Amino acid sequence: LRHYPEDREVRMLAAKLYYRMGLFPEAVGEYERLKFLSPEDPLIEENLGLSLWAAKQLDRAGGSFMSLKSSGGDFARRADFYLGQLALEAGKFQEAFDHFTQAIGEGAPIPGLPVERLQTGLAMAAQKLSRWDEAQKAWEAVLRAVPGDAKAQAALREATRRAQAAKKAAEKAAAA
């Protein structure tokens, strides 16, 4: 860095190294320098957002992911996933559900993001909203991706039980 302070690749490697070592504020600093040099680069924006998130700067991370959405394509879909995760952690379940739904889109895989992570986030948000049918479908998608996942199997059983109970309650209410 001393000899090549403007070299993008050197800075990118340094930022990745800082991140992997758990030195998140230092990683943020490097990605901010990179963003100054290449403000429209979506890879830098995504890595900056992830570094801000790891550094517990959640508002700034959300802003970075919102900027990433304007890049379109897979970057926008990953941004929706990250925004969904942030919303889920903050207890904003409808917002999380909406972001996960947007990230899933047409259902095509998102490079660099395992389908089970996306579907798990959607299922958890749906459960918190008592949308049991949607939770059930999402847990089924998780199990298609990772058939032996014991936690997903248990969550699917619970979502199925609750969906059936909600259906029976609705039938009773309609009959009354």
Side-chain angles (χ1 to χ4, degrees):
L1 286 173
R2 267 184 266 168
H3 299 294
Y4 304 102
E6 301 302 314
D7 188 311
R8 180 183 188 278
E9 294 305 313
V10 170
R11 286 220 174 269
M12 190 71 102
L13 287 171
K16 287 179 183 180
L17 180 62
Y18 284 140
Y19 186 90
R20 292 204 179 216
M21 291 175 56
L23 301 171
F24 304 121
E26 289 81 357
V28 167
E30 288 303 320
Y31 283 122
E32 286 175 332
R33 285 183 196 87
L34 284 162
K35 186 175 176 181
F36 180 77
L37 297 171
S38 303
E40 300 300 317
D41 188 330
L43 183 61
I44 292 170
E45 190 69 55
E46 182 174 12
N47 288 337
L48 174 59
L50 291 170
S51 297
L52 287 164
W53 188 1
K56 306 291 187 224
Q57 297 180 36
L58 304 182
D59 289 338
R60 288 187 62 207
S64 185
F65 295 139
M66 288 302 289
S67 295
L68 183 61
K69 280 184 72 161
S70 67
S71 298
D74 290 334
F75 285 107
R77 292 177 66 205
R78 278 197 303 273
D80 270 316
F81 169 74
Y82 301 138
L83 289 166
Q85 287 292 115
L86 286 171
L88 193 61
E89 288 177 11
K92 299 175 183 175
F93 304 121
Q94 184 61 54
E95 184 179 326
F97 184 85
D98 294 342
H99 282 298
F100 289 130
T101 301
Q102 285 181 326
I104 290 171
E106 301 298 313
I110 303 172
L113 186 62
V115 68
E116 64 270 15
R117 287 189 62 202
L118 183 57
Q119 291 290 346
T120 296
L122 179 65
M124 292 172 69
Q127 281 181 273
K128 293 293 187 177
L129 295 168
S130 298
R131 294 170 80 165
W132 299 109
D133 288 333
E134 283 132 328
Q136 186 177 2
K137 289 175 190 167
W139 286 122
E140 288 168 352
V142 170
L143 288 169
R144 278 193 299 277
V146 186
D149 187 327
K151 288 182 181 180
Q153 290 171 347
L156 175 59
R157 282 191 300 275
E158 179 65 14
T160 302
R161 185 184 69 73
R162 297 246 184 153
Q164 290 170 347
K167 199 175 285 184
K168 284 181 184 177
E171 288 171 0
K172 274 187 180 179

Short mmCIF file of all heavy atoms in Angstrom, two decimals, residues 66-133:
data_model
loop_
_atom_site.label_atom_id
_atom_site.label_comp_id
_atom_site.label_asym_id
_atom_site.label_seq_id
_atom_site.Cartn_x
_atom_site.Cartn_y
_atom_site.Cartn_z
N MET A 66 -28.82 -0.43 -0.15
CA MET A 66 -29.81 0.28 -0.97
C MET A 66 -29.14 0.84 -2.23
O MET A 66 -29.71 0.79 -3.32
CB MET A 66 -30.48 1.41 -0.18
CG MET A 66 -31.46 0.91 0.88
SD MET A 66 -32.79 -0.12 0.25
CE MET A 66 -33.77 1.08 -0.61
N SER A 67 -27.91 1.35 -2.09
CA SER A 67 -27.17 1.82 -3.25
C SER A 67 -26.87 0.67 -4.20
O SER A 67 -26.92 0.82 -5.42
CB SER A 67 -25.85 2.47 -2.83
OG SER A 67 -26.09 3.63 -2.08
N LEU A 68 -26.56 -0.48 -3.63
CA LEU A 68 -26.24 -1.66 -4.43
C LEU A 68 -27.44 -2.09 -5.27
O LEU A 68 -27.27 -2.56 -6.40
CB LEU A 68 -25.78 -2.80 -3.52
CG LEU A 68 -25.35 -4.10 -4.18
CD1 LEU A 68 -24.15 -3.87 -5.10
CD2 LEU A 68 -25.02 -5.14 -3.12
N LYS A 69 -28.66 -1.90 -4.76
CA LYS A 69 -29.86 -2.28 -5.51
C LYS A 69 -29.94 -1.58 -6.86
O LYS A 69 -30.43 -2.14 -7.82
CB LYS A 69 -31.12 -1.98 -4.70
CG LYS A 69 -31.43 -3.00 -3.65
CD LYS A 69 -32.73 -2.71 -2.95
CE LYS A 69 -33.87 -2.99 -3.88
NZ LYS A 69 -35.15 -3.16 -3.18
N SER A 70 -29.42 -0.36 -6.93
CA SER A 70 -29.50 0.40 -8.19
C SER A 70 -28.59 -0.20 -9.27
O SER A 70 -28.73 0.15 -10.44
CB SER A 70 -29.14 1.87 -7.95
OG SER A 70 -27.78 1.99 -7.59
N SER A 71 -27.72 -1.12 -8.89
CA SER A 71 -26.85 -1.77 -9.88
C SER A 71 -27.62 -2.78 -10.72
O SER A 71 -27.17 -3.17 -11.79
CB SER A 71 -25.68 -2.48 -9.18
OG SER A 71 -24.90 -1.56 -8.48
N GLY A 72 -28.75 -3.24 -10.21
CA GLY A 72 -29.58 -4.18 -10.94
C GLY A 72 -29.02 -5.59 -10.93
O GLY A 72 -27.99 -5.88 -10.32
N GLY A 73 -29.72 -6.49 -11.59
CA GLY A 73 -29.29 -7.87 -11.76
C GLY A 73 -29.08 -8.61 -10.45
O GLY A 73 -29.80 -8.42 -9.48
N ASP A 74 -28.07 -9.48 -10.46
CA ASP A 74 -27.77 -10.29 -9.28
C ASP A 74 -27.31 -9.44 -8.10
O ASP A 74 -27.55 -9.81 -6.95
CB ASP A 74 -26.71 -11.35 -9.61
CG ASP A 74 -27.25 -12.43 -10.53
OD1 ASP A 74 -28.48 -12.67 -10.53
OD2 ASP A 74 -26.45 -13.04 -11.26
N PHE A 75 -26.67 -8.31 -8.37
CA PHE A 75 -26.25 -7.43 -7.27
C PHE A 75 -27.49 -6.92 -6.53
O PHE A 75 -27.50 -6.88 -5.30
CB PHE A 75 -25.41 -6.26 -7.78
CG PHE A 75 -24.01 -6.63 -8.15
CD1 PHE A 75 -23.62 -6.68 -9.48
CD2 PHE A 75 -23.07 -6.94 -7.18
CE1 PHE A 75 -22.32 -7.03 -9.82
CE2 PHE A 75 -21.77 -7.29 -7.51
CZ PHE A 75 -21.40 -7.34 -8.84
N ALA A 76 -28.52 -6.53 -7.27
CA ALA A 76 -29.75 -6.04 -6.64
C ALA A 76 -30.44 -7.14 -5.85
O ALA A 76 -30.96 -6.90 -4.75
CB ALA A 76 -30.69 -5.47 -7.69
N ARG A 77 -30.42 -8.35 -6.38
CA ARG A 77 -31.06 -9.47 -5.68
C ARG A 77 -30.30 -9.80 -4.39
O ARG A 77 -30.91 -10.06 -3.35
CB ARG A 77 -31.15 -10.68 -6.59
CG ARG A 77 -32.13 -10.44 -7.75
CD ARG A 77 -32.20 -11.59 -8.70
NE ARG A 77 -32.77 -12.76 -8.04
CZ ARG A 77 -32.53 -14.01 -8.44
NH1 ARG A 77 -31.74 -14.26 -9.47
NH2 ARG A 77 -33.08 -15.01 -7.81
N ARG A 78 -28.95 -9.77 -4.45
CA ARG A 78 -28.17 -10.00 -3.22
C ARG A 78 -28.41 -8.87 -2.23
O ARG A 78 -28.50 -9.09 -1.03
CB ARG A 78 -26.69 -10.17 -3.54
CG ARG A 78 -26.33 -11.57 -3.99
CD ARG A 78 -24.86 -11.87 -3.91
NE ARG A 78 -24.02 -10.97 -4.66
CZ ARG A 78 -23.71 -11.12 -5.95
NH1 ARG A 78 -24.18 -12.14 -6.62
NH2 ARG A 78 -22.93 -10.26 -6.55
N ALA A 79 -28.53 -7.63 -2.74
CA ALA A 79 -28.81 -6.49 -1.86
C ALA A 79 -30.13 -6.71 -1.13
O ALA A 79 -30.24 -6.44 0.07
CB ALA A 79 -28.84 -5.19 -2.66
N ASP A 80 -31.14 -7.21 -1.84
CA ASP A 80 -32.42 -7.49 -1.19
C ASP A 80 -32.27 -8.57 -0.12
O ASP A 80 -32.88 -8.49 0.94
CB ASP A 80 -33.49 -7.90 -2.21
CG ASP A 80 -34.25 -6.70 -2.74
OD1 ASP A 80 -34.63 -5.83 -1.92
OD2 ASP A 80 -34.47 -6.63 -3.95
N PHE A 81 -31.45 -9.57 -0.40
CA PHE A 81 -31.20 -10.60 0.62
C PHE A 81 -30.58 -9.98 1.86
O PHE A 81 -31.02 -10.22 2.98
CB PHE A 81 -30.30 -11.70 0.07
CG PHE A 81 -29.80 -12.63 1.13
CD1 PHE A 81 -30.65 -13.58 1.71
CD2 PHE A 81 -28.50 -12.56 1.60
CE1 PHE A 81 -30.20 -14.43 2.71
CE2 PHE A 81 -28.04 -13.40 2.60
CZ PHE A 81 -28.89 -14.34 3.15
N TYR A 82 -29.53 -9.16 1.66
CA TYR A 82 -28.86 -8.53 2.81
C TYR A 82 -29.82 -7.61 3.57
O TYR A 82 -29.83 -7.61 4.81
CB TYR A 82 -27.65 -7.72 2.36
CG TYR A 82 -26.59 -8.50 1.62
CD1 TYR A 82 -25.97 -7.98 0.49
CD2 TYR A 82 -26.19 -9.77 2.04
CE1 TYR A 82 -24.99 -8.69 -0.19
CE2 TYR A 82 -25.22 -10.49 1.36
CZ TYR A 82 -24.62 -9.94 0.24
OH TYR A 82 -23.66 -10.63 -0.43
N LEU A 83 -30.62 -6.85 2.84
CA LEU A 83 -31.60 -5.97 3.49
C LEU A 83 -32.64 -6.79 4.25
O LEU A 83 -33.09 -6.39 5.33
CB LEU A 83 -32.26 -5.06 2.46
CG LEU A 83 -31.36 -3.96 1.90
CD1 LEU A 83 -31.98 -3.34 0.65
CD2 LEU A 83 -31.08 -2.89 2.95
N GLY A 84 -33.01 -7.92 3.70
CA GLY A 84 -33.93 -8.82 4.40
C GLY A 84 -33.33 -9.34 5.69
O GLY A 84 -34.01 -9.39 6.73
N GLN A 85 -32.06 -9.71 5.65
CA GLN A 85 -31.38 -10.18 6.86
C GLN A 85 -31.31 -9.08 7.92
O GLN A 85 -31.57 -9.34 9.09
CB GLN A 85 -29.96 -10.66 6.52
CG GLN A 85 -29.90 -11.97 5.77
CD GLN A 85 -30.35 -13.14 6.61
OE1 GLN A 85 -31.37 -13.74 6.31
NE2 GLN A 85 -29.64 -13.45 7.64
N LEU A 86 -30.97 -7.86 7.49
CA LEU A 86 -30.91 -6.75 8.44
C LEU A 86 -32.29 -6.49 9.06
O LEU A 86 -32.40 -6.28 10.27
CB LEU A 86 -30.41 -5.48 7.74
CG LEU A 86 -28.94 -5.41 7.42
CD1 LEU A 86 -28.64 -4.20 6.53
CD2 LEU A 86 -28.10 -5.36 8.68
N ALA A 87 -33.33 -6.52 8.23
CA ALA A 87 -34.68 -6.28 8.73
C ALA A 87 -35.11 -7.40 9.69
O ALA A 87 -35.73 -7.13 10.72
CB ALA A 87 -35.66 -6.16 7.57
N LEU A 88 -34.78 -8.64 9.35
CA LEU A 88 -35.13 -9.77 10.22
C LEU A 88 -34.46 -9.62 11.58
O LEU A 88 -35.10 -9.80 12.61
CB LEU A 88 -34.70 -11.08 9.54
CG LEU A 88 -35.23 -12.38 10.11
CD1 LEU A 88 -36.75 -12.43 10.05
CD2 LEU A 88 -34.64 -13.56 9.34
N GLU A 89 -33.18 -9.26 11.58
CA GLU A 89 -32.46 -9.06 12.84
C GLU A 89 -33.05 -7.92 13.66
O GLU A 89 -33.01 -7.96 14.89
CB GLU A 89 -30.98 -8.77 12.56
CG GLU A 89 -30.20 -9.97 12.09
CD GLU A 89 -28.75 -9.64 11.76
OE1 GLU A 89 -28.27 -8.53 12.09
OE2 GLU A 89 -28.08 -10.51 11.16
N ALA A 90 -33.60 -6.92 12.97
CA ALA A 90 -34.17 -5.75 13.66
C ALA A 90 -35.62 -5.97 14.06
O ALA A 90 -36.24 -5.09 14.65
CB ALA A 90 -34.06 -4.52 12.76
N GLY A 91 -36.18 -7.13 13.75
CA GLY A 91 -37.56 -7.41 14.10
C GLY A 91 -38.58 -6.77 13.17
O GLY A 91 -39.77 -6.69 13.49
N LYS A 92 -38.15 -6.35 12.00
CA LYS A 92 -39.06 -5.76 10.99
C LYS A 92 -39.44 -6.86 10.01
O LYS A 92 -38.92 -6.94 8.90
CB LYS A 92 -38.36 -4.60 10.28
CG LYS A 92 -37.96 -3.48 11.21
CD LYS A 92 -37.16 -2.42 10.48
CE LYS A 92 -36.70 -1.34 11.44
NZ LYS A 92 -35.83 -0.36 10.77
N PHE A 93 -40.36 -7.70 10.44
CA PHE A 93 -40.63 -8.94 9.73
C PHE A 93 -41.31 -8.74 8.38
O PHE A 93 -40.99 -9.45 7.43
CB PHE A 93 -41.44 -9.88 10.62
CG PHE A 93 -40.75 -10.15 11.93
CD1 PHE A 93 -41.37 -9.84 13.12
CD2 PHE A 93 -39.47 -10.67 11.96
CE1 PHE A 93 -40.72 -10.06 14.34
CE2 PHE A 93 -38.81 -10.89 13.16
CZ PHE A 93 -39.45 -10.59 14.34
N GLN A 94 -42.22 -7.79 8.26
CA GLN A 94 -42.86 -7.55 6.95
C GLN A 94 -41.84 -7.03 5.95
O GLN A 94 -41.80 -7.46 4.80
CB GLN A 94 -44.04 -6.57 7.09
CG GLN A 94 -44.80 -6.36 5.78
CD GLN A 94 -45.40 -7.65 5.25
OE1 GLN A 94 -46.14 -8.33 5.94
NE2 GLN A 94 -45.09 -8.00 4.00
N GLU A 95 -41.00 -6.12 6.40
CA GLU A 95 -39.94 -5.58 5.53
C GLU A 95 -38.99 -6.71 5.11
O GLU A 95 -38.62 -6.80 3.94
CB GLU A 95 -39.18 -4.49 6.28
CG GLU A 95 -38.13 -3.78 5.47
CD GLU A 95 -37.42 -2.69 6.27
OE1 GLU A 95 -38.06 -2.04 7.12
OE2 GLU A 95 -36.22 -2.51 6.03
N ALA A 96 -38.63 -7.56 6.05
CA ALA A 96 -37.75 -8.70 5.73
C ALA A 96 -38.42 -9.61 4.71
O ALA A 96 -37.80 -10.01 3.72
CB ALA A 96 -37.42 -9.48 7.00
N PHE A 97 -39.70 -9.94 4.93
CA PHE A 97 -40.44 -10.80 4.01
C PHE A 97 -40.44 -10.21 2.61
O PHE A 97 -40.20 -10.91 1.62
CB PHE A 97 -41.87 -11.00 4.52
CG PHE A 97 -42.69 -11.94 3.70
CD1 PHE A 97 -42.63 -13.31 3.93
CD2 PHE A 97 -43.50 -11.47 2.68
CE1 PHE A 97 -43.38 -14.18 3.16
CE2 PHE A 97 -44.25 -12.33 1.91
CZ PHE A 97 -44.20 -13.69 2.15
N ASP A 98 -40.70 -8.90 2.51
CA ASP A 98 -40.74 -8.23 1.21
C ASP A 98 -39.38 -8.30 0.51
O ASP A 98 -39.31 -8.57 -0.70
CB ASP A 98 -41.19 -6.78 1.36
CG ASP A 98 -42.64 -6.67 1.83
OD1 ASP A 98 -43.40 -7.65 1.72
OD2 ASP A 98 -43.00 -5.58 2.33
N HIS A 99 -38.31 -8.05 1.25
CA HIS A 99 -36.97 -8.09 0.64
C HIS A 99 -36.61 -9.51 0.19
O HIS A 99 -36.08 -9.70 -0.91
CB HIS A 99 -35.90 -7.57 1.61
CG HIS A 99 -35.86 -6.08 1.71
ND1 HIS A 99 -35.55 -5.27 0.63
CD2 HIS A 99 -36.08 -5.25 2.75
CE1 HIS A 99 -35.59 -4.01 1.01
NE2 HIS A 99 -35.91 -3.97 2.30
N PHE A 100 -36.90 -10.50 1.01
CA PHE A 100 -36.60 -11.88 0.62
C PHE A 100 -37.41 -12.28 -0.61
O PHE A 100 -36.90 -12.95 -1.51
CB PHE A 100 -36.86 -12.86 1.77
CG PHE A 100 -35.88 -12.76 2.89
CD1 PHE A 100 -36.32 -12.64 4.20
CD2 PHE A 100 -34.52 -12.78 2.66
CE1 PHE A 100 -35.42 -12.56 5.25
CE2 PHE A 100 -33.60 -12.69 3.70
CZ PHE A 100 -34.06 -12.58 5.00
N THR A 101 -38.67 -11.85 -0.67
CA THR A 101 -39.51 -12.16 -1.82
C THR A 101 -38.94 -11.53 -3.08
O THR A 101 -38.89 -12.17 -4.14
CB THR A 101 -40.96 -11.68 -1.56
OG1 THR A 101 -41.45 -12.33 -0.39
CG2 THR A 101 -41.86 -12.00 -2.73
N GLN A 102 -38.48 -10.28 -2.98
CA GLN A 102 -37.87 -9.62 -4.14
C GLN A 102 -36.58 -10.32 -4.55
O GLN A 102 -36.29 -10.46 -5.73
CB GLN A 102 -37.58 -8.15 -3.83
CG GLN A 102 -38.82 -7.29 -3.84
CD GLN A 102 -38.49 -5.84 -3.55
OE1 GLN A 102 -37.58 -5.54 -2.78
NE2 GLN A 102 -39.23 -4.94 -4.16
N ALA A 103 -35.81 -10.75 -3.57
CA ALA A 103 -34.54 -11.44 -3.88
C ALA A 103 -34.79 -12.76 -4.61
O ALA A 103 -34.06 -13.12 -5.53
CB ALA A 103 -33.74 -11.68 -2.61
N ILE A 104 -35.83 -13.47 -4.21
CA ILE A 104 -36.15 -14.74 -4.87
C ILE A 104 -36.58 -14.49 -6.31
O ILE A 104 -36.18 -15.22 -7.21
CB ILE A 104 -37.23 -15.50 -4.08
CG1 ILE A 104 -36.63 -16.01 -2.77
CG2 ILE A 104 -37.80 -16.65 -4.90
CD1 ILE A 104 -37.64 -16.59 -1.82
N GLY A 105 -37.37 -13.44 -6.52
CA GLY A 105 -37.78 -13.06 -7.87
C GLY A 105 -38.37 -14.23 -8.65
O GLY A 105 -39.30 -14.88 -8.21
N GLU A 106 -37.79 -14.50 -9.79
CA GLU A 106 -38.26 -15.57 -10.66
C GLU A 106 -37.78 -16.94 -10.20
O GLU A 106 -38.06 -17.94 -10.84
CB GLU A 106 -37.78 -15.31 -12.09
CG GLU A 106 -38.25 -14.00 -12.67
CD GLU A 106 -39.76 -13.92 -12.78
OE1 GLU A 106 -40.38 -14.89 -13.26
OE2 GLU A 106 -40.31 -12.88 -12.37
N GLY A 107 -36.99 -16.97 -9.14
CA GLY A 107 -36.53 -18.25 -8.61
C GLY A 107 -35.20 -18.72 -9.14
O GLY A 107 -34.70 -19.76 -8.75
N ALA A 108 -34.59 -17.95 -10.05
CA ALA A 108 -33.28 -18.33 -10.57
C ALA A 108 -32.24 -18.21 -9.46
O ALA A 108 -32.34 -17.33 -8.60
CB ALA A 108 -32.89 -17.43 -11.74
N PRO A 109 -31.25 -19.10 -9.44
CA PRO A 109 -30.21 -19.02 -8.39
C PRO A 109 -29.46 -17.69 -8.46
O PRO A 109 -29.31 -17.10 -9.53
CB PRO A 109 -29.27 -20.19 -8.71
CG PRO A 109 -29.90 -20.97 -9.79
CD PRO A 109 -31.03 -20.19 -10.36
N ILE A 110 -29.00 -17.26 -7.31
CA ILE A 110 -28.20 -16.03 -7.22
C ILE A 110 -26.76 -16.46 -7.00
O ILE A 110 -26.46 -17.11 -5.99
CB ILE A 110 -28.67 -15.14 -6.06
CG1 ILE A 110 -30.15 -14.79 -6.21
CG2 ILE A 110 -27.83 -13.87 -5.99
CD1 ILE A 110 -30.74 -14.07 -5.01
N PRO A 111 -25.86 -16.11 -7.91
CA PRO A 111 -24.45 -16.50 -7.74
C PRO A 111 -23.90 -16.02 -6.39
O PRO A 111 -24.11 -14.89 -5.99
CB PRO A 111 -23.73 -15.81 -8.90
CG PRO A 111 -24.80 -15.58 -9.93
CD PRO A 111 -26.07 -15.36 -9.15
N GLY A 112 -23.23 -16.93 -5.71
CA GLY A 112 -22.61 -16.60 -4.43
C GLY A 112 -23.55 -16.65 -3.24
O GLY A 112 -23.15 -16.31 -2.14
N LEU A 113 -24.79 -17.07 -3.45
CA LEU A 113 -25.76 -17.10 -2.37
C LEU A 113 -26.53 -18.42 -2.42
O LEU A 113 -27.35 -18.62 -3.30
CB LEU A 113 -26.72 -15.92 -2.48
CG LEU A 113 -27.70 -15.72 -1.35
CD1 LEU A 113 -26.98 -15.44 -0.04
CD2 LEU A 113 -28.62 -14.55 -1.66
N PRO A 114 -26.27 -19.32 -1.49
CA PRO A 114 -26.98 -20.60 -1.49
C PRO A 114 -28.49 -20.41 -1.33
O PRO A 114 -28.94 -19.61 -0.51
CB PRO A 114 -26.40 -21.35 -0.29
CG PRO A 114 -25.13 -20.65 0.04
CD PRO A 114 -25.30 -19.22 -0.40
N VAL A 115 -29.25 -21.15 -2.12
CA VAL A 115 -30.71 -21.02 -2.12
C VAL A 115 -31.29 -21.28 -0.73
O VAL A 115 -32.27 -20.64 -0.33
CB VAL A 115 -31.35 -21.94 -3.19
CG1 VAL A 115 -31.17 -23.40 -2.84
CG2 VAL A 115 -32.81 -21.61 -3.37
N GLU A 116 -30.67 -22.17 0.04
CA GLU A 116 -31.22 -22.47 1.36
C GLU A 116 -31.14 -21.28 2.31
O GLU A 116 -32.00 -21.11 3.18
CB GLU A 116 -30.57 -23.71 1.98
CG GLU A 116 -29.11 -23.61 2.27
CD GLU A 116 -28.22 -24.04 1.12
OE1 GLU A 116 -28.69 -24.18 -0.02
OE2 GLU A 116 -27.01 -24.23 1.38
N ARG A 117 -30.13 -20.43 2.15
CA ARG A 117 -30.04 -19.23 3.02
C ARG A 117 -31.18 -18.27 2.72
O ARG A 117 -31.79 -17.71 3.63
CB ARG A 117 -28.70 -18.53 2.82
CG ARG A 117 -27.55 -19.28 3.44
CD ARG A 117 -26.26 -18.50 3.46
NE ARG A 117 -26.38 -17.28 4.25
CZ ARG A 117 -25.59 -16.23 4.10
NH1 ARG A 117 -24.61 -16.25 3.22
NH2 ARG A 117 -25.77 -15.16 4.85
N LEU A 118 -31.44 -18.07 1.44
CA LEU A 118 -32.51 -17.17 1.04
C LEU A 118 -33.87 -17.70 1.48
O LEU A 118 -34.68 -16.98 2.07
CB LEU A 118 -32.47 -17.00 -0.48
CG LEU A 118 -33.44 -16.05 -1.10
CD1 LEU A 118 -33.30 -14.66 -0.51
CD2 LEU A 118 -33.20 -15.99 -2.60
N GLN A 119 -34.11 -18.97 1.25
CA GLN A 119 -35.40 -19.57 1.62
C GLN A 119 -35.57 -19.63 3.15
O GLN A 119 -36.69 -19.48 3.65
CB GLN A 119 -35.53 -20.96 1.00
CG GLN A 119 -35.67 -20.94 -0.50
CD GLN A 119 -37.01 -20.39 -0.98
OE1 GLN A 119 -37.96 -20.25 -0.23
NE2 GLN A 119 -37.07 -20.05 -2.26
N THR A 120 -34.48 -19.85 3.88
CA THR A 120 -34.56 -19.86 5.34
C THR A 120 -34.98 -18.48 5.86
O THR A 120 -35.83 -18.38 6.75
CB THR A 120 -33.22 -20.29 5.97
OG1 THR A 120 -32.95 -21.64 5.57
CG2 THR A 120 -33.24 -20.21 7.48
N GLY A 121 -34.38 -17.44 5.31
CA GLY A 121 -34.77 -16.09 5.71
C GLY A 121 -36.23 -15.81 5.43
O GLY A 121 -36.96 -15.26 6.27
N LEU A 122 -36.69 -16.22 4.24
CA LEU A 122 -38.09 -16.04 3.88
C LEU A 122 -39.00 -16.81 4.84
O LEU A 122 -40.01 -16.30 5.32
CB LEU A 122 -38.34 -16.48 2.43
CG LEU A 122 -39.78 -16.36 1.93
CD1 LEU A 122 -40.22 -14.91 1.90
CD2 LEU A 122 -39.91 -17.00 0.56
N ALA A 123 -38.63 -18.05 5.12
CA ALA A 123 -39.44 -18.90 6.01
C ALA A 123 -39.52 -18.29 7.41
O ALA A 123 -40.60 -18.26 8.02
CB ALA A 123 -38.86 -20.31 6.08
N MET A 124 -38.40 -17.81 7.92
CA MET A 124 -38.40 -17.23 9.27
C MET A 124 -39.27 -15.98 9.33
O MET A 124 -40.02 -15.78 10.29
CB MET A 124 -36.97 -16.93 9.70
CG MET A 124 -36.15 -18.20 9.92
SD MET A 124 -34.40 -17.89 10.20
CE MET A 124 -34.44 -17.12 11.79
N ALA A 125 -39.17 -15.13 8.31
CA ALA A 125 -40.01 -13.92 8.28
C ALA A 125 -41.49 -14.30 8.17
O ALA A 125 -42.33 -13.72 8.87
CB ALA A 125 -39.60 -13.03 7.12
N ALA A 126 -41.80 -15.28 7.34
CA ALA A 126 -43.19 -15.71 7.18
C ALA A 126 -43.74 -16.26 8.49
O ALA A 126 -44.88 -15.98 8.86
CB ALA A 126 -43.29 -16.76 6.07
N GLN A 127 -42.93 -17.04 9.20
CA GLN A 127 -43.37 -17.57 10.49
C GLN A 127 -43.68 -16.44 11.47
O GLN A 127 -44.68 -16.49 12.19
CB GLN A 127 -42.30 -18.49 11.07
CG GLN A 127 -42.29 -19.86 10.46
CD GLN A 127 -41.24 -20.74 11.07
OE1 GLN A 127 -40.10 -20.74 10.64
NE2 GLN A 127 -41.62 -21.49 12.08
N LYS A 128 -42.81 -15.45 11.53
CA LYS A 128 -43.02 -14.34 12.47
C LYS A 128 -44.29 -13.56 12.13
O LYS A 128 -44.88 -12.93 12.99
CB LYS A 128 -41.81 -13.39 12.47
CG LYS A 128 -40.56 -14.01 13.03
CD LYS A 128 -40.72 -14.29 14.51
CE LYS A 128 -39.42 -14.76 15.13
NZ LYS A 128 -39.53 -14.97 16.56
N LEU A 129 -44.70 -13.61 10.85
CA LEU A 129 -45.92 -12.93 10.41
C LEU A 129 -47.14 -13.86 10.46
O LEU A 129 -48.22 -13.47 10.03
CB LEU A 129 -45.73 -12.40 8.98
CG LEU A 129 -44.68 -11.31 8.80
CD1 LEU A 129 -44.39 -11.09 7.32
CD2 LEU A 129 -45.12 -10.02 9.47
N SER A 130 -46.94 -15.08 10.95
CA SER A 130 -47.99 -16.11 10.99
C SER A 130 -48.54 -16.42 9.60
O SER A 130 -49.72 -16.71 9.44
CB SER A 130 -49.13 -15.70 11.93
OG SER A 130 -48.64 -15.56 13.24
N ARG A 131 -47.69 -16.36 8.62
CA ARG A 131 -48.05 -16.73 7.24
C ARG A 131 -47.54 -18.15 7.02
O ARG A 131 -46.54 -18.39 6.38
CB ARG A 131 -47.44 -15.72 6.27
CG ARG A 131 -48.05 -14.34 6.45
CD ARG A 131 -47.33 -13.27 5.71
NE ARG A 131 -47.70 -13.25 4.31
CZ ARG A 131 -47.44 -12.23 3.51
NH1 ARG A 131 -46.84 -11.15 3.98
NH2 ARG A 131 -47.77 -12.28 2.26
N TRP A 132 -48.29 -19.08 7.59
CA TRP A 132 -47.81 -20.46 7.71
C TRP A 132 -47.69 -21.18 6.37
O TRP A 132 -46.79 -22.00 6.19
CB TRP A 132 -48.69 -21.22 8.69
CG TRP A 132 -48.63 -20.58 10.04
CD1 TRP A 132 -49.61 -19.87 10.65
CD2 TRP A 132 -47.50 -20.52 10.90
NE1 TRP A 132 -49.16 -19.38 11.86
CE2 TRP A 132 -47.86 -19.77 12.04
CE3 TRP A 132 -46.20 -21.03 10.83
CZ2 TRP A 132 -46.99 -19.53 13.09
CZ3 TRP A 132 -45.33 -20.79 11.88
CH2 TRP A 132 -45.73 -20.04 12.99
N ASP A 133 -48.60 -20.90 5.43
CA ASP A 133 -48.50 -21.56 4.12
C ASP A 133 -47.21 -21.16 3.40
O ASP A 133 -46.52 -22.00 2.82
CB ASP A 133 -49.71 -21.23 3.25
CG ASP A 133 -50.98 -21.92 3.73
OD1 ASP A 133 -50.87 -23.00 4.37
OD2 ASP A 133 -52.08 -21.39 3.49
#
